[in-house]
Amino acid sequence: MLKIDIYSSRLVAHRCRRFICKLSAMFLLGLGLLGGASANVIQGIDISRVDDNAQIVIRFETEIQYLRHAPEREAKDLRVFFKVTQPGFSEGALMQEVLRSPASDLVPRFKVIYPELVNGMLIAFEKSIRFTLKAGGDAQSIVLLIPLPADKKRAAPAEKKTLGAPEKATAPVPVVVPEDQVPKQTPDAEKPSDTPAPFSHEQIESLATGFIGEARDALILGDAPKAVNRLNRLLGLPNNSQTENAQALIGEAREKNGEIAKARAEYELYLKLFPNGAAAPKVKERLAGLPKTDPVRRTESRVRRDDRPAEWTTFASLSTYWFNGQSKQDSGPMTRDQNTLISSLSVNARLRDSVTDTRFVFRDTDSRNFLRQDRDYNRIYSAYVERTDREVGYFVRAGRQNPNGAGVLERFDGVTGNYNLATDWKIGAVAGSVVSFPTKGFGGFDLTVNKRFYGANFEYLPQLGRPGASLYAIEQTLEGYVDRRALGTEIRYFDGHFSAFGTLDYDILYKGVNIGMAQANYTDPWGNSYFVNYDYRKSPTYSLNNALQSTSLLGITQVGALVDTYGIGQARKIVVDSTPTMSMFGTGVTVPVGEKWQFGFDFRGSKVSGQNVVLALRQICKGGLDSSAIGASATDPMCIGGPLGDVLVSQMCSGSYDPFTETCNAGQNIQGTTNTYTMQAIGTNLFVPGGVGVAMASFNKGDTSSGRNYGLTYVFPFAEAWRLEGSMRYFSSKSDAGSGQTNFSPSLKLGYQWRSAVFLETEIGTSDQRTTGTNPGTNKREYLYLGMRWDYR
């Protein structure tokens, strides 16, 4: 939480001796206090009907990489683990947020809590459910599919949403069976139903014979939907003489209906249940002949209005947390370093009818720092209204909002929208001004944030088993100067087992790639989950503000002065040479073992390049600056080797300079490669029902240092409304120069849920850090926080 950032920044300040390094530490400390309750990560929750399943989509405000979840297929409390891919993101800078599910009769009520455990999100249902979970195809969502009970599968056929074409109307069967007494056997079933029947054996056999006869007649006449319907009803009956034949035939019916993925599942289920059955050779032959992907089928692009009245749903959450901490260095006295009250308000209102969906969203955070009142703030992170009309085919959102693709990179005040041109195509546009809260740049000056942009995009929508893609163009100005002119694309793909997302952003002004990213998730037939991702980006992305990090040492801290001094072309060259590059590759696997355990292994390699100091200084010195304040000639075309060059290199690097790579080795513009190996074990229903244990071990190796990190957390629920969470972490590192560091930090958290609306929690913890080497010392810290959250719906 907030305590971690403050603690880390104080350690940086303690160890730094150079002026610039201290400024960096102060900047980190400011982020810890001013940004401790940053914007929400969870954007919203949607619930809809897809075939015979309820689909829950949890959407995020930023891109994420799904890692794993536990338990695997059935739970009341489901934990999803993921990483936010945004550079510089830290869970420690977040207040815990809670979002409750919208009203729906498809699934039990639930709430989503983030962060929870390490890289974790808790989805807590009112009762246990069976589910299938996968990553969304847009890198900003998690999707759950929950099989509907029999009485809801056909309760409202007019509302049924499906990725395929609607089934044809069929005549009633001669013998009508109440549908709530005929559950559908799904391909996930381990064996045919043995549930006691409300009918006699003779009645069951009569029904089965009638169903399979009608199914065969329907296939002869080319009515595959009717055949699927009759076979579904037959397979919902208890075991009978026609069960095996129906299971073989339904695969063929689905295949002829164009449902290739479902046909494959039905064929595989037959071979699992009846490996030596009479139809096994034919089923194997048809299974081998199936195409690899499901043919694309889509419902009409327009939805017609019905007579259902519009319905309001409202959810609000108000939380307030008091943080208190004290620390001491070496043998010094304990000194209070934190006394802050942070409050957050979140309001979501929704008005829906059969074709329209209107939402109002407001999120605000207020921070009162009782030690430094000049650091008090109130920030509105979201304040927008949006409307979706499926009859007309448009979406529009206006107000303060987070970026949602199409080349927008920052939170903004403005308007975004799209319109469905056809079933598979839509066009969109966006315009606004960037919202940036007070930020200090290199050297302590205020960064310019007056940015305005506009853009357009064109999208080919993805379908199950078929990729989709979008193209966008966007232009952004900074203080009236064109600061970004980019072209980009986003590609998405998803099916039942595999999902992938990629994006490429190229800036025409700076002639370079801003972002190149791709990630994928795959679940094999045995339930093992895999992920892989690659991320290349300029960090920060190309902007005239980046040049100010270098020219501020010469007193140029405003974009206008930068352009006046160098001209816009030369200023952009300084930007290119002053902007570091970050690249990261990650891959991992999660293996379920039994009903309780999941084991994961991840690898991540990252590389950060520093500023090209020589090229940046060459561009700066070509400007012919009056450097009398520094005492050297700025007209030297190289500037390196002279008094001015020595000063600038020292200050820009805030550490050592590598003349071979012409980059900084350490300090503000640190560069290097780090490889990290992580192992994680997750146990659910451990020791007690609902108990969860997470053990983690991580090892990293950099260019000049290495480290180890161990963690152990256990959540113990008791007396229904209480929850106790204990955690221990140990970290150690050592450098090639001989210095080292260890840190042991245990904590204990207690939470209480009063009724369904009020949640109380408190946490106490301590950390003990010891440093060896040229600057040995100790640093101890203790903290306490108390919090309350009130939910309304």
Side-chain angles (χ1 to χ4, degrees), residues 137-139 404-405 459 462 466-470 490-494 500-502:
D138 56 359
N404 193 22
E459 183 174 3
R466 184 199 72 186
S470 65
E490 296 175 350
I491 300 175
R492 301 174 175 86
Y493 176 86
F494 59 91
F501 173 80

Side-chain angles (χ1 to χ4, degrees), residues 641-660:
L644 175 60
D646 291 342
V647 171
L648 292 181
V649 166
S650 174
Q651 295 299 309
M652 287 178 67
C653 284
S654 65
S656 61
Y657 164 73
D658 187 341
F660 297 100

Side-chain angles (χ1 to χ4, degrees), residues 606-680:
S606 62
K607 182 177 181 180
V608 180
S609 68
Q611 295 178 344
N612 191 312
V613 178
V614 169
L615 292 180
L617 289 182
R618 286 174 182 170
Q619 303 300 339
I620 291 173
C621 292
K622 286 180 181 178
L625 297 175
D626 178 6
S627 58
S628 57
I630 299 178
S633 173
T635 58
D636 183 345
M638 293 291 292
C639 273
I640 300 296
L644 175 60
D646 291 342
V647 171
L648 292 181
V649 166
S650 174
Q651 295 299 309
M652 287 178 67
C653 284
S654 65
S656 61
Y657 164 73
D658 187 341
F660 297 100
T661 63
E662 300 182 343
T663 54
C664 303
N665 283 330
Q668 172 79 8
N669 304 303
I670 190 170
Q671 63 173 354
T673 301
T674 302
N675 294 324
T676 303
Y677 305 84
T678 302
M679 294 173 288
Q680 188 179 49

Side-chain angles (χ1 to χ4, degrees), residues 163-184:
L163 295 174
E167 294 185 353
K168 300 177 183 177
T170 58
V173 297
V175 181
V176 179
V177 181
E179 295 191 2
D180 60 350
Q181 299 177 15
V182 186
K184 164 70 171 68

Side-chain angles (χ1 to χ4, degrees), residues 447-485:
L447 287 176
T448 304
V449 293
N450 185 12
K451 302 178 183 179
R452 301 180 182 277
F453 64 86
Y454 60 91
N457 58 86
F458 189 63
E459 183 174 3
Y460 178 59
L461 298 174
Q463 288 296 306
L464 186 67
R466 184 199 72 186
S470 65
L471 298 174
Y472 65 80
I474 190 167
E475 181 167 297
Q476 180 172 290
T477 62
L478 174 63
E479 292 295 324
Y481 301 99
V482 179
D483 187 50
R484 169 171 162 78
R485 183 176 291 155

Side-chain angles (χ1 to χ4, degrees), residues 165-171 218 221-227 229-230 256-257:
E167 294 185 353
K168 300 177 183 177
T170 58
L221 296 173
D223 193 350
K226 179 178 178 179
N229 179 279
R230 297 305 182 261
K256 291 183 176 181
N257 197 38

